[in-house]
Structures are given as C-alpha cells and as structure tokens.
Amino acid sequence: MQDSYKAALEQMTEKFQRTARLAAEENIIPYKSEHGTWVTSPYDGNSWWTGGFWPALMFQLYAFSRDPFFLEEGRRVEALLVEEFRTYQYLNHDVGFMYLLSCGADYKLTGNTQSRLDTLHAASLLMGRFNPAGFIRAWNSPQQTGFAIIDCMMNLSLLFWASRESQDPRFEKVARIHADTTMREFVREDGSVSHIIEFDPESGKRMKEHPGQGYALGSSWSRGQAWGLYGFTLAARNTGNPEYLATALSIARNFCRHIRPDGLTDCDFCQPKEEERLDNIAGAVAACGLMELRFLTSEDAFMDAARTLVDGLLDHCADFSDASMGILTHCTASYHDDGAGRHTNITYGDYFLAEALAKLCGTDPMFWI
Ligand code: GLY
C-alpha cells in the first residue's frame, strides 16, 4: 500500500466523521455539497438514482476505519431507501446502484438478514423491467418503453448477485441477455460506447440512438465510457464470458487513450477543445474499473492508468478542507447542464474516489460482487 493513498483515505475518513454528522442531524441523503452545505437530489426526492452512494460511502469508510458511526449513518439512509420501495413510480433500472450499494453492502459487511431480503426485493424489481425482446428498460415514461442505456451495465451486478444468493439462474440469464444486446448495439468499433439506444419494444429491433448526457449525438460521454468499462469488467468477472472481457478491454483501451496529461477527465471525449468541461466522477469510476480489469488480466498498464487517474484527482481536485462538505470537486452530471450539477462536488464522485483508494489500500470490501 502506498502511504499517500492510505493518507488520503484517512483524510477522507476524518472529513466525513465531521461532515456526515450534519447530514444525519437533518436526516437527509446528501447529493452534492455547495457553498459549504449539503444539498439533496434535484429530482424525485429520495428515489433519485444516486441515493445508494451515500450509504455505500459510509460503508466503505466503516470497512476502512471500523468507526461505528459510519455503519449507523449508512443504515440511516439504507432505511430511507427501503421506504422508497413504496413509491414504485420513480424507481427505475438504477435500483441496482441504489440497493446493491446500500442493503447489499450492509449484508456483505454485517450479514444483516433483512438487508439481504431487501436486496433480493430490489433484484426482482430490476428483473421486472426486462423486456423479453432483449433488453432491460431504463426509464418509466410512456415515451421511453424501448429505451436502454449503457449505465445499466453496472446495475446488472445486482442480478448476478441475486442468482448466486438465491441459487436461481433467472436473474443471471436476464443479465446476460441485456449484456449481449449492449455488446452488440452500444459498443462501437473504436471501443467507445453510445449512451442511449431505443429499441422497438415489440420486436427488439434497434430503432435509433438518442443524445444523452454527453456533448452530442454520437459523441463519447466519458461517464458512459466508464460505466461500460467497469460494467463489462464486472460482467466478465461474474460470468467468465471471454466476449465480455474482450469488450471491457476494448472500452478500457479507448478510455486510456483519452486520459489527460494531468490525470483529469473531460466530460466528453468529443467535446470542443476550447471547452474546459471536466467530469471527475468518470475518472474515479474508470480507475475502479481499470483496477478490477488488472485483477482479471494481469496487465500492469491498467494499474498504471488507474494510478494516473487517482493521482490526478488527489493532486488537483480533492478538497479536504472544512470549507466544504464533500471532497471531489469538478464533477459534472451532464454536459449540457440539466440542473444536477456542473463542476461541483457530487456524492457519487466521493464514493468512487473512496472505492478507488480502498482498492489501492487493499481494504475494498467489493460491494459489486
Ligand atoms: N446513471 C446516470 C448518470 O451517470 O448520470
């Protein structure tokens, strides 16, 4: 373990020992930190797709520090998320992110049996979104019955977990069908990936690509690239399927070609050169995916690239001061600002930074598997 990574994780732990208490006092789920305060999600209340990253962050810090405050704080928000099962209308394919990282993480760390049942419940909700025409439906609007998105590759982890946990192959079969469709329809020749593809919900035929959170139709939104990289790596680890591994390698090599000299990550790899638009969440997610890919392939270049990304974040964009609540700066939710945050601290950036540091320190409990 390199001392600088351990020192950074210790600084993270100390900062959240102070600032997470303020979230607990208000009984909120922090979404981002701005002007020295916590801000909750801009849409859909506690059902917003990012809710699981706060408990995941708390559980990561608990695994590292064993400070019981972090377990308690993770569980406070886990309980809020479980209440969201009743809203149904706002929950979408991101129940993978929301519940594997909250209830699933609690179960993994503590063996809490109710958390296990809640995670299986979430897996059933995700499987209920499967269209037998060949994909998992992303969102709920009646205009989007055929929409699937690259981000869902991360949510498949919940299905792989559920098959192992329940000894029932249905979940994994659905995950494999969705991953096969994604491999065929989203991944381009050069290893870049599309964000949103619309299918005919009756036949499963590909209809068209839609612009998503990146710069333009057909561009390469960096967080989408990172979701694809890490998602296919996890699918390869979960199944042993060499095609998923080859896909992860192709996306990873393309991502590595776009790492900036300072280690930070542009919001879109096709954005105009004169635009300084960063998304450090993409860099943190990719660093985690690259380290897992190094684990699967023994290719040291992936570890070197992951270190470049983490070093860039720590050297230029980590705020451990008391002036703010969170740590990772210059996170951008969407290239064309959708109100969810641009060049600011966003909680899931902090989560993936913590996961990356924990991997480098050998303390990551690996909530995705
Ligand atoms: N899953 C949506 C996003 O990455 O912003």
Side-chain angles (χ1 to χ4, degrees), residues 119-143:
T119 317
L120 285 169
H121 185 146
S124 298
L125 288 179
L126 181 55
M127 202 161 69
R129 305 188 66 82
F130 178 63
N131 183 328
F135 62 93
I136 291 174
R137 178 179 173 178
W139 299 309
N140 300 342
S141 142
Q143 285 75 43

PDB file of all heavy atoms in Angstrom, residues 119-143:
ATOM      1  N   THR A 119     -32.338  -6.521  -0.614  1.00  0.00           N
ATOM      2  CA  THR A 119     -31.535  -6.540  -1.846  1.00  0.00           C
ATOM      3  C   THR A 119     -32.180  -7.482  -2.867  1.00  0.00           C
ATOM      4  O   THR A 119     -32.248  -7.168  -4.064  1.00  0.00           O
ATOM      5  CB  THR A 119     -30.079  -6.979  -1.546  1.00  0.00           C
ATOM      6  OG1 THR A 119     -29.624  -6.325  -0.361  1.00  0.00           O
ATOM      7  CG2 THR A 119     -29.154  -6.616  -2.690  1.00  0.00           C
ATOM      8  N   LEU A 120     -32.687  -8.622  -2.393  1.00  0.00           N
ATOM      9  CA  LEU A 120     -33.374  -9.544  -3.320  1.00  0.00           C
ATOM     10  C   LEU A 120     -34.650  -8.903  -3.867  1.00  0.00           C
ATOM     11  O   LEU A 120     -34.998  -9.076  -5.045  1.00  0.00           O
ATOM     12  CB  LEU A 120     -33.702 -10.859  -2.592  1.00  0.00           C
ATOM     13  CG  LEU A 120     -32.492 -11.776  -2.361  1.00  0.00           C
ATOM     14  CD1 LEU A 120     -32.856 -12.917  -1.401  1.00  0.00           C
ATOM     15  CD2 LEU A 120     -31.964 -12.355  -3.690  1.00  0.00           C
ATOM     16  N   HIS A 121     -35.338  -8.160  -3.011  1.00  0.00           N
ATOM     17  CA  HIS A 121     -36.538  -7.437  -3.452  1.00  0.00           C
ATOM     18  C   HIS A 121     -36.167  -6.491  -4.609  1.00  0.00           C
ATOM     19  O   HIS A 121     -36.840  -6.451  -5.648  1.00  0.00           O
ATOM     20  CB  HIS A 121     -37.079  -6.650  -2.249  1.00  0.00           C
ATOM     21  CG  HIS A 121     -38.378  -5.944  -2.479  1.00  0.00           C
ATOM     22  ND1 HIS A 121     -39.317  -5.785  -1.495  1.00  0.00           N
ATOM     23  CD2 HIS A 121     -38.881  -5.315  -3.555  1.00  0.00           C
ATOM     24  CE1 HIS A 121     -40.347  -5.113  -1.974  1.00  0.00           C
ATOM     25  NE2 HIS A 121     -40.106  -4.808  -3.214  1.00  0.00           N
ATOM     26  N   ALA A 122     -35.081  -5.740  -4.428  1.00  0.00           N
ATOM     27  CA  ALA A 122     -34.645  -4.807  -5.481  1.00  0.00           C
ATOM     28  C   ALA A 122     -34.287  -5.561  -6.764  1.00  0.00           C
ATOM     29  O   ALA A 122     -34.589  -5.104  -7.878  1.00  0.00           O
ATOM     30  CB  ALA A 122     -33.445  -4.005  -4.993  1.00  0.00           C
ATOM     31  N   ALA A 123     -33.663  -6.724  -6.620  1.00  0.00           N
ATOM     32  CA  ALA A 123     -33.296  -7.512  -7.807  1.00  0.00           C
ATOM     33  C   ALA A 123     -34.559  -7.943  -8.569  1.00  0.00           C
ATOM     34  O   ALA A 123     -34.579  -7.956  -9.811  1.00  0.00           O
ATOM     35  CB  ALA A 123     -32.473  -8.733  -7.396  1.00  0.00           C
ATOM     36  N   SER A 124     -35.615  -8.253  -7.840  1.00  0.00           N
ATOM     37  CA  SER A 124     -36.870  -8.630  -8.503  1.00  0.00           C
ATOM     38  C   SER A 124     -37.459  -7.437  -9.244  1.00  0.00           C
ATOM     39  O   SER A 124     -38.023  -7.587 -10.336  1.00  0.00           O
ATOM     40  CB  SER A 124     -37.882  -9.160  -7.479  1.00  0.00           C
ATOM     41  OG  SER A 124     -37.355 -10.316  -6.871  1.00  0.00           O
ATOM     42  N   LEU A 125     -37.332  -6.246  -8.644  1.00  0.00           N
ATOM     43  CA  LEU A 125     -37.807  -5.051  -9.353  1.00  0.00           C
ATOM     44  C   LEU A 125     -37.018  -4.837 -10.644  1.00  0.00           C
ATOM     45  O   LEU A 125     -37.592  -4.508 -11.687  1.00  0.00           O
ATOM     46  CB  LEU A 125     -37.653  -3.806  -8.468  1.00  0.00           C
ATOM     47  CG  LEU A 125     -38.608  -3.655  -7.288  1.00  0.00           C
ATOM     48  CD1 LEU A 125     -38.280  -2.383  -6.507  1.00  0.00           C
ATOM     49  CD2 LEU A 125     -40.057  -3.612  -7.763  1.00  0.00           C
ATOM     50  N   LEU A 126     -35.715  -5.050 -10.572  1.00  0.00           N
ATOM     51  CA  LEU A 126     -34.887  -4.843 -11.770  1.00  0.00           C
ATOM     52  C   LEU A 126     -35.245  -5.881 -12.833  1.00  0.00           C
ATOM     53  O   LEU A 126     -35.383  -5.560 -14.015  1.00  0.00           O
ATOM     54  CB  LEU A 126     -33.398  -4.925 -11.405  1.00  0.00           C
ATOM     55  CG  LEU A 126     -32.407  -4.701 -12.538  1.00  0.00           C
ATOM     56  CD1 LEU A 126     -32.646  -3.368 -13.249  1.00  0.00           C
ATOM     57  CD2 LEU A 126     -30.964  -4.754 -12.031  1.00  0.00           C
ATOM     58  N   MET A 127     -35.440  -7.122 -12.403  1.00  0.00           N
ATOM     59  CA  MET A 127     -35.786  -8.166 -13.370  1.00  0.00           C
ATOM     60  C   MET A 127     -37.167  -7.902 -13.974  1.00  0.00           C
ATOM     61  O   MET A 127     -37.414  -8.232 -15.139  1.00  0.00           O
ATOM     62  CB  MET A 127     -35.736  -9.540 -12.727  1.00  0.00           C
ATOM     63  CG  MET A 127     -35.562 -10.605 -13.782  1.00  0.00           C
ATOM     64  SD  MET A 127     -34.973 -12.124 -13.094  1.00  0.00           S
ATOM     65  CE  MET A 127     -36.380 -12.637 -12.164  1.00  0.00           C
ATOM     66  N   GLY A 128     -38.041  -7.275 -13.210  1.00  0.00           N
ATOM     67  CA  GLY A 128     -39.373  -6.934 -13.721  1.00  0.00           C
ATOM     68  C   GLY A 128     -39.328  -5.907 -14.842  1.00  0.00           C
ATOM     69  O   GLY A 128     -40.327  -5.690 -15.530  1.00  0.00           O
ATOM     70  N   ARG A 129     -38.199  -5.278 -15.045  1.00  0.00           N
ATOM     71  CA  ARG A 129     -38.059  -4.285 -16.105  1.00  0.00           C
ATOM     72  C   ARG A 129     -37.568  -4.929 -17.408  1.00  0.00           C
ATOM     73  O   ARG A 129     -37.383  -4.249 -18.416  1.00  0.00           O
ATOM     74  CB  ARG A 129     -37.072  -3.187 -15.698  1.00  0.00           C
ATOM     75  CG  ARG A 129     -37.416  -2.528 -14.387  1.00  0.00           C
ATOM     76  CD  ARG A 129     -36.545  -1.336 -14.133  1.00  0.00           C
ATOM     77  NE  ARG A 129     -36.803  -0.281 -15.094  1.00  0.00           N
ATOM     78  CZ  ARG A 129     -37.802   0.582 -15.005  1.00  0.00           C
ATOM     79  NH1 ARG A 129     -38.633   0.545 -13.986  1.00  0.00           N
ATOM     80  NH2 ARG A 129     -37.967   1.499 -15.936  1.00  0.00           N
ATOM     81  N   PHE A 130     -37.325  -6.233 -17.349  1.00  0.00           N
ATOM     82  CA  PHE A 130     -36.785  -6.922 -18.525  1.00  0.00           C
ATOM     83  C   PHE A 130     -37.856  -7.061 -19.597  1.00  0.00           C
ATOM     84  O   PHE A 130     -38.977  -7.493 -19.317  1.00  0.00           O
ATOM     85  CB  PHE A 130     -36.275  -8.310 -18.120  1.00  0.00           C
ATOM     86  CG  PHE A 130     -35.745  -9.107 -19.274  1.00  0.00           C
ATOM     87  CD1 PHE A 130     -34.642  -8.660 -19.992  1.00  0.00           C
ATOM     88  CD2 PHE A 130     -36.340 -10.309 -19.633  1.00  0.00           C
ATOM     89  CE1 PHE A 130     -34.147  -9.403 -21.060  1.00  0.00           C
ATOM     90  CE2 PHE A 130     -35.852 -11.053 -20.692  1.00  0.00           C
ATOM     91  CZ  PHE A 130     -34.752 -10.597 -21.407  1.00  0.00           C
ATOM     92  N   ASN A 131     -37.496  -6.667 -20.807  1.00  0.00           N
ATOM     93  CA  ASN A 131     -38.357  -6.883 -21.956  1.00  0.00           C
ATOM     94  C   ASN A 131     -37.803  -8.107 -22.696  1.00  0.00           C
ATOM     95  O   ASN A 131     -36.656  -8.074 -23.162  1.00  0.00           O
ATOM     96  CB  ASN A 131     -38.325  -5.642 -22.866  1.00  0.00           C
ATOM     97  CG  ASN A 131     -39.255  -5.787 -24.047  1.00  0.00           C
ATOM     98  OD1 ASN A 131     -39.463  -6.893 -24.553  1.00  0.00           O
ATOM     99  ND2 ASN A 131     -39.811  -4.678 -24.497  1.00  0.00           N
ATOM    100  N   PRO A 132     -38.609  -9.194 -22.832  1.00  0.00           N
ATOM    101  CA  PRO A 132     -38.081 -10.406 -23.485  1.00  0.00           C
ATOM    102  C   PRO A 132     -37.659 -10.176 -24.934  1.00  0.00           C
ATOM    103  O   PRO A 132     -37.025 -11.049 -25.542  1.00  0.00           O
ATOM    104  CB  PRO A 132     -39.248 -11.401 -23.392  1.00  0.00           C
ATOM    105  CG  PRO A 132     -40.103 -10.897 -22.282  1.00  0.00           C
ATOM    106  CD  PRO A 132     -39.958  -9.393 -22.283  1.00  0.00           C
ATOM    107  N   ALA A 133     -37.946  -8.986 -25.474  1.00  0.00           N
ATOM    108  CA  ALA A 133     -37.406  -8.645 -26.804  1.00  0.00           C
ATOM    109  C   ALA A 133     -35.894  -8.459 -26.725  1.00  0.00           C
ATOM    110  O   ALA A 133     -35.231  -8.335 -27.761  1.00  0.00           O
ATOM    111  CB  ALA A 133     -38.089  -7.397 -27.349  1.00  0.00           C
ATOM    112  N   GLY A 134     -35.327  -8.389 -25.498  1.00  0.00           N
ATOM    113  CA  GLY A 134     -33.866  -8.440 -25.410  1.00  0.00           C
ATOM    114  C   GLY A 134     -33.154  -7.377 -24.602  1.00  0.00           C
ATOM    115  O   GLY A 134     -31.938  -7.264 -24.676  1.00  0.00           O
ATOM    116  N   PHE A 135     -33.889  -6.616 -23.786  1.00  0.00           N
ATOM    117  CA  PHE A 135     -33.184  -5.566 -23.045  1.00  0.00           C
ATOM    118  C   PHE A 135     -33.934  -5.210 -21.752  1.00  0.00           C
ATOM    119  O   PHE A 135     -35.123  -5.520 -21.604  1.00  0.00           O
ATOM    120  CB  PHE A 135     -33.039  -4.297 -23.909  1.00  0.00           C
ATOM    121  CG  PHE A 135     -34.368  -3.685 -24.294  1.00  0.00           C
ATOM    122  CD1 PHE A 135     -34.947  -2.685 -23.529  1.00  0.00           C
ATOM    123  CD2 PHE A 135     -35.060  -4.140 -25.419  1.00  0.00           C
ATOM    124  CE1 PHE A 135     -36.184  -2.139 -23.867  1.00  0.00           C
ATOM    125  CE2 PHE A 135     -36.307  -3.609 -25.760  1.00  0.00           C
ATOM    126  CZ  PHE A 135     -36.859  -2.603 -24.988  1.00  0.00           C
ATOM    127  N   ILE A 136     -33.218  -4.553 -20.845  1.00  0.00           N
ATOM    128  CA  ILE A 136     -33.834  -4.027 -19.614  1.00  0.00           C
ATOM    129  C   ILE A 136     -34.218  -2.577 -19.866  1.00  0.00           C
ATOM    130  O   ILE A 136     -33.375  -1.765 -20.286  1.00  0.00           O
ATOM    131  CB  ILE A 136     -32.851  -4.136 -18.430  1.00  0.00           C
ATOM    132  CG1 ILE A 136     -32.650  -5.611 -18.067  1.00  0.00           C
ATOM    133  CG2 ILE A 136     -33.360  -3.367 -17.217  1.00  0.00           C
ATOM    134  CD1 ILE A 136     -31.600  -5.869 -17.000  1.00  0.00           C
ATOM    135  N   ARG A 137     -35.470  -2.285 -19.624  1.00  0.00           N
ATOM    136  CA  ARG A 137     -35.977  -0.918 -19.850  1.00  0.00           C
ATOM    137  C   ARG A 137     -35.372   0.027 -18.817  1.00  0.00           C
ATOM    138  O   ARG A 137     -35.421  -0.247 -17.611  1.00  0.00           O
ATOM    139  CB  ARG A 137     -37.501  -0.949 -19.745  1.00  0.00           C
ATOM    140  CG  ARG A 137     -38.126   0.404 -19.900  1.00  0.00           C
ATOM    141  CD  ARG A 137     -39.635   0.305 -19.814  1.00  0.00           C
ATOM    142  NE  ARG A 137     -40.210   1.644 -19.793  1.00  0.00           N
ATOM    143  CZ  ARG A 137     -41.505   1.886 -19.763  1.00  0.00           C
ATOM    144  NH1 ARG A 137     -42.375   0.889 -19.760  1.00  0.00           N
ATOM    145  NH2 ARG A 137     -41.952   3.136 -19.742  1.00  0.00           N
ATOM    146  N   ALA A 138     -34.890   1.176 -19.303  1.00  0.00           N
ATOM    147  CA  ALA A 138     -34.214   2.105 -18.391  1.00  0.00           C
ATOM    148  C   ALA A 138     -35.198   2.912 -17.551  1.00  0.00           C
ATOM    149  O   ALA A 138     -35.142   2.882 -16.322  1.00  0.00           O
ATOM    150  CB  ALA A 138     -33.310   3.051 -19.182  1.00  0.00           C
ATOM    151  N   TRP A 139     -36.073   3.647 -18.228  1.00  0.00           N
ATOM    152  CA  TRP A 139     -36.889   4.636 -17.506  1.00  0.00           C
ATOM    153  C   TRP A 139     -38.376   4.370 -17.675  1.00  0.00           C
ATOM    154  O   TRP A 139     -38.777   3.502 -18.450  1.00  0.00           O
ATOM    155  CB  TRP A 139     -36.533   6.048 -18.005  1.00  0.00           C
ATOM    156  CG  TRP A 139     -35.097   6.396 -17.765  1.00  0.00           C
ATOM    157  CD1 TRP A 139     -34.411   6.295 -16.590  1.00  0.00           C
ATOM    158  CD2 TRP A 139     -34.156   6.893 -18.733  1.00  0.00           C
ATOM    159  NE1 TRP A 139     -33.107   6.714 -16.762  1.00  0.00           N
ATOM    160  CE2 TRP A 139     -32.928   7.087 -18.057  1.00  0.00           C
ATOM    161  CE3 TRP A 139     -34.229   7.207 -20.099  1.00  0.00           C
ATOM    162  CZ2 TRP A 139     -31.792   7.572 -18.715  1.00  0.00           C
ATOM    163  CZ3 TRP A 139     -33.101   7.691 -20.740  1.00  0.00           C
ATOM    164  CH2 TRP A 139     -31.897   7.871 -20.057  1.00  0.00           C
ATOM    165  N   ASN A 140     -39.197   5.194 -17.009  1.00  0.00           N
ATOM    166  CA  ASN A 140     -40.617   4.866 -16.880  1.00  0.00           C
ATOM    167  C   ASN A 140     -41.570   5.650 -17.772  1.00  0.00           C
ATOM    168  O   ASN A 140     -42.759   5.345 -17.806  1.00  0.00           O
ATOM    169  CB  ASN A 140     -41.061   5.065 -15.420  1.00  0.00           C
ATOM    170  CG  ASN A 140     -40.275   4.182 -14.477  1.00  0.00           C
ATOM    171  OD1 ASN A 140     -39.660   3.204 -14.901  1.00  0.00           O
ATOM    172  ND2 ASN A 140     -40.276   4.507 -13.203  1.00  0.00           N
ATOM    173  N   SER A 141     -41.089   6.667 -18.455  1.00  0.00           N
ATOM    174  CA  SER A 141     -42.018   7.481 -19.244  1.00  0.00           C
ATOM    175  C   SER A 141     -42.642   6.632 -20.350  1.00  0.00           C
ATOM    176  O   SER A 141     -41.951   5.792 -20.964  1.00  0.00           O
ATOM    177  CB  SER A 141     -41.257   8.672 -19.825  1.00  0.00           C
ATOM    178  OG  SER A 141     -41.717   8.945 -21.118  1.00  0.00           O
ATOM    179  N   PRO A 142     -43.939   6.824 -20.637  1.00  0.00           N
ATOM    180  CA  PRO A 142     -44.585   6.042 -21.707  1.00  0.00           C
ATOM    181  C   PRO A 142     -43.909   6.255 -23.059  1.00  0.00           C
ATOM    182  O   PRO A 142     -44.037   5.427 -23.962  1.00  0.00           O
ATOM    183  CB  PRO A 142     -46.024   6.576 -21.725  1.00  0.00           C
ATOM    184  CG  PRO A 142     -46.200   7.346 -20.461  1.00  0.00           C
ATOM    185  CD  PRO A 142     -44.852   7.762 -19.965  1.00  0.00           C
ATOM    186  N   GLN A 143     -43.182   7.358 -23.212  1.00  0.00           N
ATOM    187  CA  GLN A 143     -42.464   7.607 -24.475  1.00  0.00           C
ATOM    188  C   GLN A 143     -41.136   6.849 -24.531  1.00  0.00           C
ATOM    189  O   GLN A 143     -40.431   6.899 -25.530  1.00  0.00           O
ATOM    190  CB  GLN A 143     -42.150   9.103 -24.640  1.00  0.00           C
ATOM    191  CG  GLN A 143     -43.337   9.977 -25.019  1.00  0.00           C
ATOM    192  CD  GLN A 143     -44.266  10.215 -23.843  1.00  0.00           C
ATOM    193  OE1 GLN A 143     -43.819  10.470 -22.725  1.00  0.00           O
ATOM    194  NE2 GLN A 143     -45.569  10.093 -24.079  1.00  0.00           N
TER     195      GLN A 143
END
